[in-house]
Amino acid sequence: MPANTTASSGSSGSAGEKTGKKKGRRARLIVIVLVLALVAGIGYGTFWSVTTVRASYPQTNGSIKIAGLAGNVDVKRDSYGIPQLYADSDTDLFRAQGFVQAQDRFWEMDVRRHMTAGRLSEMFGSGQVDTDAFLRTLGWRKIAQEEYDTVLSADTKKNLQAYADGVNAYLKGRDGKDISVEYAALGLTNDYKPTKWTPVDSVAWLKAMAWDLRGNMQDEIDRSLMTSRLSQKQIKDLYPAYPYDKHRPIVDQGGISQVTGAFDPAATDSAGPGASTVQGATEGVTTQLASLSDTLDEIPALLGPNGNGIGSNSWVVSGRYTTTDKPLLANDPHLAPQLPSLWYQMGLHCRQLSATCQYDTAGYTFSGMPGVIIGHNQDIAWGFTNLGADVTDLFLEKVSGDGYQYDGKVKPFVSREETIKVAGGESRHITVRETNNGPLVSDRSGELEKVGQKAPVTNSAPDRADGYAVALKWTALEPGHSMDAVFELDRAKDFTTFRAAAEHFEVPSQNLIYADTKGNIGYQAPGKIPVRKQGDGTMPSPGWTSAYGWKKDPIPFDQLPYEYNPKRGYIVTANQAVIDEKKYPYLLTKDWGYGTRSQRINDLIESKIKGGGKISTDDMQKMQMDNTSEIAALLVPELMKINVSDKSVRQAQKLLEGWDYTQESDSAAAAYFNAVWRNILKLAFGDKLPKEMRVKGECLTVLPADSTGPVDEQDKPVRECGQRAADTAQPDGGDRWYQVVAGLMDDKNNDWWKSPRSRKDEATTTRDELFGRAMADARWELTAKLGKDTSTWSWGRLHQLTLKNQTLGTEGPDLLQRVLNRGPWNLGGGEAAVDATGWNAAGGYEVVWVPSMRMVVNVGDWDKSRWINLTGASGHAFSAHYTDQTGKWVNGDLLDWSFGTNAVANSTKDTLTLKPS
């Protein structure tokens, strides 16, 4: 299912049941289309257009009375509908935040809380049962409740309750149609009515965030799936070591001091690697992990396709290298495009800071959660990128009777019953079973009942009998303090209080960058990161022995890497390695991003500094839009040497002559090169991968996976079709694949360059033969897509962004999608460029993740900061603020970001006063 879809069919059940579900869902959608056609004023529905659409628009002027407020709260919105809130107490401030976000985004909030609780079926019917069952098995809502009850601070709980009260004040007395047009449509097919918001609804959202940023779980599955077709050497080829010599890690000095036992950026006596790299009991777990991968595809990926692409850029430059003489900080998280955007821009201001009113902060928030996630306050600024720590492990479990084997004994499951209510149908009941390694995710798939049938294991493994089950161990399935950290960041005043907040930001593990008004810059790697007894987390581990698993305590916070005012004068984080593994005793992960973006940003900063210049706010903005392709710089010189006899292919090849490797939207060279790159990956690697990793529906004739000889000896070729969603298939073309190809370039006769004969092409045996074939295939592919005349080609015509409403706009008839969705836009940028408009080379050229927002913070002179959102402030489909920032985002423009009282007053267009009732 597409990323961000929250109305998809399940993955289990009979064919007849699936057909019935699809017909039923389509019938509902047809009704919804007719309603929305009326709502949009299409045909003869003018009256409905006025009454229904305007009924859900927020009041932005005048005053509204709200129960529970102690004083007035002013809500000042600018011409883009971005609100700045002014209050006299923390409680009033967060109560108002809940009210205002519900005004603009409650449908989005409601869908999210149903997703995190495994209750989508209550809104969308039986098609969501399998998704709900998997999410109930993970138990996000259950863990969120435990956090709220037993872990979070009293102040945090007070703020969460105030936020919930504000949301409920908005909901009071409103029918669904008065809240959002989607409810008006849903109401004709479902008697669903929104219920009150709770503090735990907000806490659970952090679990969804952690899930999508969970690290290498997909790589762990993929490596195991590869064993059905590839040798261990071949798998190693496809997962090369991080290139520390070419791509600088975030922290390039320091280590854990032998004297203090804590991380010291100046330490020269750091302890060396201490984590065991002994492999797990399995070399491949084909059947059950393929099914698990299918199940993962059915889960709404709210932040983006999990894997190499999801990430972010952030960097901070010291004032000694800036035109402002104060630090400049940039951030642009790369997440899934959705409508409305994941982010909600907002300012939270106490009219006077005091013990009872502690906040003066602005930035990007999540609708449904109080506080500011990324931004600045009056003293400091901060940004996030995904650290990518390996915080999940899959364990094979030997199940017997009502328990599982562990150290030669049978331990009982911890079980619970879950009831899934279904709109328009009967409730479903599931049993969730948990081992000491986490819940059995294999229980949620019919195929996974045959788990472990083909998994090679050591001689010491228990008899497989009917197979092994699969358990998921994940740090986010334990109560934590991340919600505390959000408020602590918002209040932090210096690097000490910033690090104290970071210590509580346990999941998801993020790179945190920092700058303050006194000119300091810094970095902290936070997170609850496990210490493994054995194994390196790259393959599933045996669950039946205490020799594996995790040690009781994670890596101590004071031993996690950080930097403070490094000598180089800047810090770059873009999902690269945090620190050289040879200098650090703990295993953070084996699956970093490979540092292409981070090194490009390092190079851009250094070239400016070494040239004697200083970096301005404009320079930071231009860096965010840098779209240079590193893989093009490597490949194009070799592609130009290939003798091409076909005149049409030669015509395309000539596009690359003199190309500067930038990927502008109107570039014909970028279009052709990226098509060549896609076809190189397909011929060299994609056609050799197992069907479980290839794009769904794409079929190949191959030898059976268990083949032991050439085709003409004993094994007959079979027809195998891909099984994975297009935006998660492999090879995805990210910078891991850059590194793979770079490592093979000098070995022109490597077996990877061999590709079998096709109907129209001879077999290839060398690198240049395969490159030539890819150039021809790319020429004909683009001829079909863009036309015969190469002068009319452009990268943007291939590389398009369509913004889809995260629920009703993701499937169904075209009319429904036209009503709720927007686009397409032709984009520049590309995979692993700084302007990371990501696309999956296995699936096509469509944009699947983007810089979901961009900001450049002018530290200390806050009103000269700039920001932009992917869409707009409003979640109402026909609001003027639905996508009013998108055009500027596409062009790389940023909006002025008002923060001070006078600047906000000057930019205010509408003022709403919330008053005590």
Side-chain angles (χ1 to χ4, degrees):
M1 101 184 194
N4 309 310
T5 301
T6 53
S8 67
S9 61
S11 59
S12 66
S14 68
E17 288 173 339
K18 286 184 178 180
T19 301
K21 289 177 183 178
K22 290 180 179 178
K23 287 181 178 177
R25 187 170 65 251
R26 183 173 176 83
R28 291 197 304 275
L29 288 172
I30 289 172
V31 173
I32 290 169
V33 169
L34 295 176
V35 174
L36 291 180
L38 295 175
V39 169
I42 299 171
Y44 52 83
T46 306
F47 179 74
W48 267 55
S49 173
V50 173
T51 59
T52 305
V53 173
R54 289 186 177 176
S56 63
Y57 281 9
Q59 179 181 337
T60 59
N61 283 297
S63 64
I64 300 175
K65 291 185 177 181
I66 295 180
L69 285 178
N72 290 352
V73 180
D74 291 325
V75 182
K76 298 177 180 291
R77 284 181 165 92
D78 66 10
S79 60
Y80 287 89
I82 299 170
Q84 305 278 345
L85 276 54
Y86 291 85
D88 294 317
S89 71
D90 294 345
T91 302
D92 279 0
L93 191 62
F94 293 117
R95 182 176 278 109
Q97 184 181 14
F99 184 91
V100 171
Q101 289 191 337
Q103 280 187 304
D104 283 334
R105 298 279 193 99
F106 185 76
W107 168 263
E108 173 194 16
M109 293 163 58
D110 201 16
V111 171
R112 281 183 183 171
R113 68 163 165 176
H114 279 78
M115 189 276 289
T116 58
R119 294 173 50 208
L120 288 170
S121 300
E122 295 177 20
M123 297 183 76
F124 300 108
S126 60
Q128 293 301 312
V129 168
D130 292 326
T131 299
D132 284 345
F134 190 85
L135 294 170
R136 296 283 186 99
T137 298
L138 294 181
W140 292 353
R141 172 75 186 203
K142 169 177 164 288
I143 301 299
Q145 186 70 58
E146 290 179 25
E147 286 183 3
Y148 185 80
D149 291 340
T150 65
V151 174
L152 296 180
S153 72
D155 280 347
T156 294
K157 296 199 312 191
K158 181 180 178 182
N159 293 342
L160 286 165
Q161 185 62 59
Y163 182 90
D165 290 343
V167 175
N168 294 329
Y170 171 74
L171 295 178
K172 187 176 181 180
R174 284 182 168 86
D175 293 328
K177 63 181 174 56
D178 300 323
I179 298 171
S180 177
V181 68
E182 288 92 341
Y183 289 115
L186 197 64
L188 292 192
T189 59
N190 186 346
D191 60 359
Y192 172 80
K193 297 185 185 304
T195 57
K196 286 187 175 182
W197 192 266
T198 74
V200 180
D201 292 333
S202 297
V203 178
W205 168 236
L206 282 172
K207 299 303 174 185
M209 183 179 174
W211 175 256
D212 281 352
L213 299 174
R214 63 193 177 274
N216 79 332
M217 182 173 167
Q218 191 64 57
D219 287 318
E220 187 174 343
I221 292 171
D222 286 354
R223 267 187 290 257
S224 299
L225 293 173
M226 286 179 185
T227 60
S228 68
R229 288 206 169 275
L230 303 178
S231 68
Q232 286 300 310
K233 180 185 180 303
Q234 289 172 316
I235 295 173
K236 188 176 181 179
D237 286 345
L238 301 187
Y239 285 90
Y242 184 88
Y244 290 100
D245 56 332
K246 293 196 309 178
H247 296 164
R248 178 188 299 162
I250 298 171
V251 176
D252 56 8
Q253 292 183 340
I256 295 177
S257 171
Q258 297 284 2
V259 177
T260 66
F263 190 90
D264 182 352
T268 57
D269 59 344
S270 176
S276 169
T277 56
V278 178
Q279 287 293 332
T282 68
E283 293 299 327
V285 196
T286 305
T287 303
Q288 69 274 36
L289 292 183
S291 300
L292 177 58
S293 185
D294 289 343
T295 303
L296 299 182
D297 278 345
E298 295 297 326
I299 297 172
L302 287 187
L303 305 188
N306 184 263
N308 190 51
I310 197 167
S312 308
N313 299 324
S314 71
W315 65 96
V316 60
V317 182
S318 167
R320 75 174 186 264
Y321 293 129
T322 68
T323 58
T324 65
D325 296 326
K326 289 288 181 71
L328 293 174
L329 184 150
N331 196 188
D332 54 284
H334 306 155
L335 304 171
Q338 59 179 297
L339 188 58
S341 166
L342 179 80
W343 300 107
Y344 184 94
Q345 295 150 291
M346 189 174 237
L348 302 173
H349 307 278
C350 288
R351 294 190 181 98
Q352 184 173 346
L353 291 173
S354 67
T356 57
C357 201
Q358 306 172 75
Y359 297 89
D360 187 16
T361 183
Y364 294 87
T365 71
F366 292 137
S367 52
M369 204 170 85
V372 168
I373 306 301
I374 293 174
H376 70 83
N377 59 31
Q378 73 278 17
D379 296 309
I380 75 166
W382 66 94
F384 283 10
T385 65
N386 194 25
L387 192 150
D390 186 357
V391 296
T392 61
D393 276 339
L394 296 173
F395 284 84
L396 293 182
E397 303 286 358
K398 176 56 185 172
V399 174
S400 54
D402 294 327
Y404 58 98
Q405 291 191 22
Y406 188 72
D407 283 348
K409 297 180 180 179
V410 176
K411 297 191 69 172
F413 294 114
V414 175
S415 300
R416 67 179 188 273
E417 302 297 320
E418 295 275 356
T419 299
I420 300 172
K421 296 180 181 179
V422 181
E426 295 182 2
S427 296
R428 310 290 177 88
H429 304 278
I430 64 169
T431 300
V432 177
R433 302 186 295 172
E434 294 188 9
T435 73
N436 57 2
N437 290 313
L440 291 184
V441 289
S442 53
D443 281 352
R444 301 284 75 87
S445 169
E447 288 182 70
L448 287 176
E449 293 174 2
K450 301 177 182 178
V451 67
Q453 290 183 356
K454 295 183 179 180
V457 292
T458 62
N459 292 333
S460 61
D463 175 51
R464 74 176 72 242
D466 294 330
Y468 298 110
V470 179
L472 171 64
K473 195 172 184 69
W474 179 29
T475 55
L477 298 184
E478 300 172 359
H481 295 85
S482 293
M483 196 69 238
D484 287 333
V486 172
F487 297 111
E488 290 167 356
L489 277 174
D490 289 351
R491 298 192 306 264
K493 295 183 177 300
D494 51 30
F495 195 60
T496 299
T497 50
F498 169 80
R499 290 192 72 208
E503 182 173 3
H504 283 152
F505 207 94
E506 296 166 333
V507 291
S509 185
Q510 299 287 289
N511 296 306
L512 291 177
I513 60 167
Y514 166 93
D516 64 36
T517 54
K518 295 180 180 179
N520 302 301
I521 65 173
Y523 161 81
Q524 177 66 58
K528 185 186 292 184
I529 303 173
V531 179
R532 292 168 177 82
K533 297 177 182 177
Q534 290 192 55
D536 59 11
T538 61
M539 286 281 196
S541 297
W544 52 80
T545 170
S546 58
Y548 286 81
W550 297 351
K551 294 183 179 180
K552 180 181 178 181
D553 296 320
I555 300 173
F557 178 77
D558 66 0
Q559 295 187 1
L560 289 170
Y562 76 95
E563 284 191 320
Y564 188 57
N565 294 327
K567 290 181 180 179
R568 63 180 175 276
Y570 60 91
I571 301 168
V572 176
T573 85
N575 318 117
Q576 79 270 41
V578 169
I579 190 169
D580 191 331
E581 61 185 4
K582 295 178 182 177
K583 301 178 181 178
Y584 191 67
Y586 295 108
L587 174 68
L588 297 177
T589 186
K590 286 288 187 179
D591 292 304
W592 299 112
Y594 279 76
T596 300
R597 284 179 286 108
S598 62
Q599 193 55 47
R600 176 63 178 169
I601 297 167
N602 272 298
D603 292 344
L604 289 170
I605 294 172
E606 285 188 357
S607 65
K608 187 79 172 181
I609 292 173
K610 289 180 179 179
K614 288 201 169 186
I615 294 171
S616 67
T617 307
D618 287 343
D619 291 329
M620 299 284 276
Q621 185 174 341
K622 289 175 183 176
M623 289 179 194
Q624 289 182 324
M625 297 304 294
D626 183 88
N627 57 31
T628 304
S629 170
E630 182 182 276
I631 192 62
L634 175 69
L635 292 181
V636 167
E638 301 304 319
L639 295 175
M640 295 306 298
K641 295 176 184 177
I642 295 174
N643 184 24
V644 175
S645 58
D646 187 299
K647 291 182 180 180
S648 294
V649 179
R650 172 58 184 151
Q651 184 184 41
Q653 184 188 36
K654 291 179 69 174
L655 294 172
L656 303 178
E657 291 181 356
W659 180 42
D660 62 0
Y661 313 133
T662 60
Q663 302 172 93
E664 300 295 339
S665 174
D666 61 359
S667 171
Y672 181 58
F673 171 76
N674 283 316
V676 173
W677 170 235
R678 180 177 185 237
N679 281 279
I680 287 173
L681 291 169
K682 177 182 177 182
L683 293 170
F685 310 106
D687 290 351
K688 301 177 178 72
L689 295 177
K691 63 182 181 295
E692 294 88 356
M693 297 176 65
R694 301 200 310 268
V695 175
K696 188 176 296 183
E698 290 189 1
C699 302
L700 295 173
T701 301
V702 296
L703 288 175
D706 57 356
S707 172
T708 57
V711 176
D712 57 0
E713 287 186 6
Q714 60 184 40
D715 292 314
K716 294 183 179 180
V718 296
R719 191 73 170 164
E720 286 188 351
C721 298
Q723 298 179 352
R724 187 168 289 181
D727 59 4
T728 57
Q730 292 291 340
D732 62 18
D735 63 353
R736 172 164 68 88
W737 294 98
Y738 289 15
Q739 196 65 23
V740 169
V741 171
L744 298 171
M745 283 294 287
D746 293 336
D747 187 358
K748 297 183 180 182
N749 297 306
N750 192 286
D751 285 347
W752 285 112
W753 304 126
K754 294 179 180 179
S755 185
R757 180 177 180 177
S758 69
R759 292 179 181 177
K760 66 181 189 305
D761 296 303
E762 294 296 324
T764 67
T765 59
T766 69
R767 183 198 75 181
D768 289 351
E769 287 176 357
L770 185 140
F771 282 7
R773 182 167 162 184
M775 291 171 71
D777 289 351
R779 184 4 163 166
W780 305 124
E781 180 187 0
L782 295 199
T783 297
K785 292 179 181 296
L786 302 179
K788 185 177 180 180
D789 184 355
T790 59
S791 68
T792 67
W793 291 0
S794 71
W795 175 224
R797 287 176 62 200
L798 284 175
H799 191 52
Q800 294 187 322
L801 168 67
T802 299
L803 293 173
K804 296 184 177 182
N805 179 285
Q806 64 170 332
T807 52
L808 303 181
T810 56
E811 62 175 273
D814 289 342
L815 176 59
L816 176 65
Q817 298 192 21
R818 287 200 300 271
V819 168
L820 293 177
N821 299 342
R822 299 293 182 270
W825 287 269
N826 296 348
L827 298 189
E831 184 65 39
V834 179
D835 181 18
T837 55
W839 55 287
N840 186 301
Y845 305 99
E846 179 183 1
V847 176
V848 296
W849 53 75
V850 294
S852 56
M853 61 81 159
R854 299 185 182 102
M855 73 176 192
V856 177
V857 182
N858 198 315
V859 177
D861 197 352
W862 304 114
D863 294 326
K864 291 184 179 178
S865 301
R866 303 173 188 171
W867 61 353
I868 198 77
N869 205 349
L870 174 63
T871 61
S874 179
H876 298 287
F878 307 105
S879 166
H881 304 308
Y882 194 45
T883 55
D884 57 343
Q885 296 185 52
T886 306
K888 291 183 176 295
W889 177 93
V890 169
N891 294 330
D893 298 332
L894 300 176
L895 304 176
D896 292 336
W897 180 354
S898 299
F899 179 74
T901 304
N902 291 336
V904 170
N906 290 334
S907 64
T908 294
K909 181 181 177 183
D910 297 314
T911 300
L912 172 70
T913 301
L914 304 179
K915 297 183 175 183
S917 63

